[in-house]
Amino acid sequence: MERNIEKSLIGTLGIEMKEVGDGKVIATMPVDERTRQPYGLLHGGASVALAESVASFGGMQLVDSTKQAVVGLEINANHVRGVRSGFVTAEGNIIHRGRTTMVWDVKIHDEEDHLICVSRCTLAVIDLPKPSESKEQSQ
């Protein structure tokens, strides 16, 4: 997953993973021309992209990436405070780890530690095709 970050939405928005642990991820994102809406505030969609990126990155650490992947199934967000500049920091923590789903709680704060956004992201755990299945499908 890491090899594709710069060419993905994560790279485009300037999201950086700062800490990755077992069931916990911390990442930052700049509040700049890439992430602001026309009124100069952090775009809610950028906050949601940050939240889902944190949850997905964390979920990938909890599966065998040679056999499984995680994909976003559902996400919600409450935007509780605006921010115009600087950086925001997201902390994601797993609250459910099942065989086929994971649920992550993600809180985003500004540089003064004000709560900006609260999000909950559900991930689906999917099985990757076996190498022999991939060859058969491509033929």
Side-chain angles (χ1 to χ4, degrees):
M1 184 164 149
E2 290 181 39
R3 66 185 176 275
N4 297 321
I5 285 180
E6 288 306 313
K7 294 182 181 181
S8 72
L9 184 63
I10 295 170
T12 300
L13 296 179
I15 296 170
E16 291 185 25
M17 301 299 161
K18 298 294 188 178
E19 180 182 323
V20 180
D22 190 25
K24 179 179 177 179
V25 175
I26 297 175
T28 60
M29 181 178 70
V31 180
D32 61 17
E33 65 281 350
R34 296 171 291 179
T35 58
R36 283 192 291 254
Q37 40 92 307
Y39 296 111
L41 294 167
L42 176 63
H43 195 293
S47 294
V48 171
L50 174 60
E52 187 164 341
S53 297
V54 163
S56 295
F57 201 87
M60 282 303 298
Q61 308 310 308
L62 300 176
V63 298
D64 178 347
S65 62
T66 64
K67 297 178 182 174
Q68 293 181 309
V70 297
V71 294
L73 186 62
E74 190 274 338
I75 190 163
N76 66 54
N78 294 96
H79 308 290
V80 296
R81 185 183 184 109
V83 60
R84 294 184 178 276
S85 62
F87 282 83
V88 290
T89 299
E91 180 176 324
N93 291 283
I94 193 162
I95 55 178
H96 166 73
R97 181 179 178 184
R99 188 177 50 78
T100 59
T101 61
M102 294 182 197
V103 180
W104 286 76
D105 177 66
V106 182
K107 291 184 173 64
I108 301 173
H109 291 86
D110 67 10
E111 291 175 298
E112 285 78 43
D113 205 32
H114 296 123
L115 184 63
I116 302 302
C117 179
V118 177
S119 180
R120 180 152 299 165
C121 183
T122 303
L123 302 174
V125 179
I126 60 171
D127 291 327
L128 295 174
K130 294 181 176 132
S132 61
E133 290 175 5
S134 298
K135 290 178 186 175
E136 291 170 12
Q137 289 175 355
S138 65
Q139 292 177 353

